[in-house]
Amino acid sequence: MPDLLFARPNGELIDFPALSMIGKTGYHYVEPDEKELIPLPKGATIAALPGRILLGIDKDRGELIELVFNPYQKKKERIWAVGALLPQGFTRTLVPAYASFPGEKTLPLLGYTAVGISHGQLVVAAVQTDAHDLWHPQNYNTRDL
């Protein structure tokens, strides 16, 4: 299962191999099925989710864990959950799994997708539903327009 990915306040993305990536469907937290994980598509954007507590599965115990502070720092550094915004032609199958700190503002209504890292490659819970090139902005952002 892919590792959990988190963002530091400076935007740096960090792999945390002790926890597995999970996603959310409806009100349920689930581990993604291997079939629904694809490499991060070209044109996707990684987004830090400020004020959101990371959730993952402890690989040794199988328990749901909340991760609030950077496990690699002695000084308490709050970290954020991460999501991906997919380009046209891809459909998410899971949203990022996170909990909100009390009093946090609602996130913008964007199509955040669960994201993790596997063997050094970013992966997302998504399926390709159309030819990506048909929708890519580089094909339409021309002088004629």
Side-chain angles (χ1 to χ4, degrees):
M1 194 50 47
D3 299 341
L4 187 70
L5 187 66
F6 66 84
R8 294 182 62 207
N10 66 3
E12 179 183 11
L13 295 175
I14 305 287
D15 175 359
F16 189 55
L19 298 181
S20 292
M21 160 199 182
I22 60 172
K24 189 173 181 183
T25 179
Y27 294 106
H28 304 284
Y29 298 113
V30 297
E31 291 184 272
D33 188 284
E34 288 291 328
K35 294 181 292 188
E36 67 187 318
L37 293 173
I38 62 171
L40 183 73
K42 184 177 180 182
T45 303
I46 298 296
L49 306 177
R52 302 316 181 257
I53 301 167
L54 287 91
L55 298 175
I57 300 291
D58 183 297
K59 290 184 180 181
D60 293 330
R61 297 178 297 188
E63 296 175 5
L64 181 67
I65 302 292
E66 289 186 351
L67 192 61
V68 177
F69 298 105
N70 187 337
Y72 299 117
Q73 301 285 334
K74 286 186 179 185
K75 181 180 176 187
K76 285 190 174 184
E77 175 185 57
R78 189 166 279 174
I79 54 177
W80 298 335
V82 176
L85 302 171
L86 300 174
Q88 298 293 329
F90 295 88
T91 302
R92 69 179 174 188
T93 58
L94 296 172
V95 297
Y98 61 80
S100 296
F101 286 105
E104 283 294 331
K105 294 180 185 176
T106 301
L107 290 172
L109 189 58
L110 299 174
Y112 302 110
T113 303
V115 61
I117 188 163
S118 180
H119 307 290
Q121 181 177 32
L122 295 174
V123 294
V124 291
V127 293
Q128 187 166 358
T129 50
D130 203 352
H132 181 53
D133 289 341
L134 292 176
W135 297 98
H136 200 283
Q138 74 184 13
N139 297 322
Y140 300 99
N141 191 13
T142 64
R143 286 185 178 177
D144 297 343
L145 290 178

